[in-house]
Amino acid sequence: MSVIPTVTGLSSGARLLSVPRTLAAATKAAPSSLPSLCYLKKKGYYTLRRWSILPATRKLVIRAARTESKGVSLGFRAPNFELTEPLTGKVWKLEDFEAYPALLVMFICNHCPFVIHLKKEIVKLSNFYMKKGLAVVAISSNSVVTHPQDGPEFMAQEATLFKYPFPYLYDESQEVARDFGAVCTPEFFLFKKDGRRPFELVYHGQFDDSRPSNNVPVTGRELSLAIDRVLSGQLIPSTQKPSIGCSIKWNPGGKQ
């Protein structure tokens, strides 16, 4: 085997080894767990460089955890609430909607991908049905400890940016979410009112079949059909697909 003069160090300003080593011996010197040796021929000599094999970069895919609306029976009476609207500072109560034949209560938030996916259509649907006599209110109950982007200041910005036609209320204590039995965002509660009777739940299902990245167009079909039936005095089928979204972000250490 021929002996090859080698140099160590950087390619520029490298010094010649006083005792030449064979290429075979040099390449055998480093175990696989250590940086490998690389020889580059330059101006008649071989420059010895060290290089490391880095692990292949993996594509990181973040998926939002899915939670289904459940556990609330049809016929359930709308709980009383008293919540502030960050945009205006106004305090809203359930009794403010007593004059309406139907009330849609939506639990939403700013950051959830499932809400973001539907947001524009929620505004469009609300604008359409509010002109037909539907009352609509949205509530955010997420913890600002874990998700400050869902706090009241950002709620006001969100309501302005998307031109929410409905009040967007802040449930700081999270008691209203618990009273309703809400567990996810978005979650839809459609109540009807017969005369002086309390609001009673008639629909607790999904907006439609569309989800982030499933390529199904957002139409609001299921919720729209339910609202149409309520406003026209028709019965709503009791078989309803649950809403799917992000879990409500409960305050750390608090009851859920």
Side-chain angles (χ1 to χ4, degrees), residues 86-99:
L87 179 62
T88 63
K90 179 179 176 179
V91 176
W92 291 81
K93 304 176 183 179
L94 178 65
E95 62 190 45
D96 293 325
F97 305 99
E98 287 290 321

Side-chain angles (χ1 to χ4, degrees), residues 17-70:
L17 285 176
S18 57
V19 181
R21 289 184 287 180
T22 65
L23 179 60
T27 55
K28 191 177 180 180
S32 59
S33 60
L34 298 177
S36 299
L37 303 177
C38 178
Y39 287 86
L40 299 176
K41 188 172 183 179
K42 186 176 182 181
K43 295 183 180 179
Y45 292 96
Y46 284 83
T47 302
L48 180 62
R49 292 181 178 175
R50 291 184 180 274
W51 58 285
S52 299
I53 300 176
L54 299 177
T57 302
R58 294 182 178 179
K59 184 178 179 181
L60 181 61
V61 178
I62 300 176
R63 300 184 185 277
R66 297 186 172 202
T67 300
E68 289 188 358
S69 60
K70 56 186 178 180

Side-chain angles (χ1 to χ4, degrees), residues 49-254:
R49 292 181 178 175
R50 291 184 180 274
W51 58 285
S52 299
I53 300 176
L54 299 177
T57 302
R58 294 182 178 179
K59 184 178 179 181
L60 181 61
V61 178
I62 300 176
R63 300 184 185 277
R66 297 186 172 202
T67 300
E68 289 188 358
S69 60
K70 56 186 178 180
V72 181
S73 301
L74 299 180
F76 166 74
R77 292 184 176 182
N80 289 317
F81 60 82
E82 187 172 332
L83 297 173
T84 301
E85 180 182 12
L87 179 62
T88 63
K90 179 179 176 179
V91 176
W92 291 81
K93 304 176 183 179
L94 178 65
E95 62 190 45
D96 293 325
F97 305 99
E98 287 290 321
Y100 294 86
L103 169 65
L104 175 63
V105 179
M106 305 180 290
F107 284 84
I108 64 173
C109 67
N110 294 351
H111 87 277
C112 174
F114 292 90
V115 176
I116 293 171
H117 180 64
L118 303 178
K119 199 169 293 183
K120 291 182 180 179
E121 290 300 319
I122 286 175
V123 171
K124 186 184 298 184
L125 178 146
S126 298
N127 275 317
F128 180 79
Y129 284 106
M130 287 172 72
K131 294 175 182 177
K132 292 178 174 288
L134 177 71
V136 181
V137 61
I139 300 172
S140 177
S141 301
N142 276 0
S143 170
V144 297
V145 176
T146 60
H147 291 75
Q149 67 269 44
D150 289 336
E153 176 185 350
F154 299 104
M155 289 173 60
Q157 293 176 8
E158 191 90 347
T160 301
L161 178 63
F162 287 92
K163 296 182 173 59
Y164 284 174
F166 44 77
Y168 185 23
L169 312 182
Y170 178 43
D171 177 22
E172 182 177 13
S173 70
Q174 303 185 320
E175 287 299 326
V176 174
R178 294 187 184 94
D179 289 344
F180 273 82
V183 295
C184 65
T185 57
E187 187 163 355
F188 305 95
F189 295 80
L190 179 61
F191 298 89
K192 75 171 183 178
K193 195 172 190 306
D194 291 328
R196 303 184 67 176
R197 290 173 59 83
F199 281 112
E200 294 183 353
L201 185 67
V202 292
Y203 183 78
H204 182 224
Q206 66 176 6
F207 192 75
D208 58 25
D209 286 324
S210 185
R211 307 286 183 264
S213 304
N214 75 352
N215 297 319
V216 175
V218 181
T219 63
R221 181 177 182 275
E222 277 79 2
L223 183 56
S224 294
L225 288 173
I227 296 172
D228 283 334
R229 286 178 175 270
V230 168
L231 294 180
S232 62
Q234 301 178 56
L235 294 177
I236 298 176
S238 59
T239 301
Q240 302 167 6
K241 291 183 180 179
S243 183
I244 296 176
C246 307
S247 62
I248 287 180
K249 311 309 178 189
W250 304 105
N251 288 319

